[in-house]
Amino acid sequence: MIIRIVRMHFTPPNVDVFLGIFNQHKEAIRHFPGCHHLLLLKDARDPLCFTTLSHWDELESLDKYRNSELFSSVWNRVKPLFSKRTEAFSLEKFIEL
């Protein structure tokens, strides 16, 4: 299983724009082949910082999504809204208690 974490920072007027885009596409992203979980997290201290956490079958599933028209259409709309560079991590589940 691959866990993908993407941390994003927005300017105040762009938070609602981002949330609209996310809400419009969240079902399609969650039901993309290989995706089993999608979560949007809001930073407890910074209201302009959001993180997506998604679970994927394998790296190939995530790569298919990242090369898809769905990803391109969402990313091209969200990327200009960032106030600073995003951080993204692809992780393998290693130990779970």
Side-chain angles (χ1 to χ4, degrees):
M1 172 179 290
I2 298 298
I3 298 171
R4 179 73 171 178
I5 299 171
V6 181
R7 187 170 174 87
M8 304 163 285
H9 295 85
F10 299 94
T11 59
N14 287 334
V15 169
D16 287 339
V17 177
F18 164 70
L19 292 174
I21 295 167
F22 182 83
N23 284 322
Q24 181 181 0
H25 296 284
K26 64 187 177 186
E27 292 294 329
I29 296 168
R30 168 54 188 86
H31 292 99
F32 195 89
C35 182
H36 297 281
H37 182 77
L38 176 63
L39 186 62
L40 178 63
L41 304 164
K42 183 176 178 183
D43 190 283
R45 298 190 189 274
D46 182 352
L48 304 176
C49 181
F50 291 82
T51 300
T52 57
L53 185 146
S54 54
H55 294 183
W56 297 85
D57 282 335
E58 55 194 1
L59 277 175
E60 291 77 16
S61 301
L62 175 59
D63 289 341
K64 284 181 185 177
Y65 168 67
R66 294 185 68 225
N67 291 310
S68 71
E69 186 175 321
L70 173 61
F71 176 82
S72 291
S73 67
V74 172
W75 190 250
N76 289 335
R77 291 175 62 200
V78 171
K79 189 175 180 181
L81 306 175
F82 298 144
S83 63
K84 58 179 148 177
R85 186 181 173 131
T86 62
E87 298 175 272
F89 306 93
S90 296
L91 309 162
E92 291 182 343
K93 189 183 287 188
F94 190 62
I95 296 173
E96 182 175 5
L97 302 177

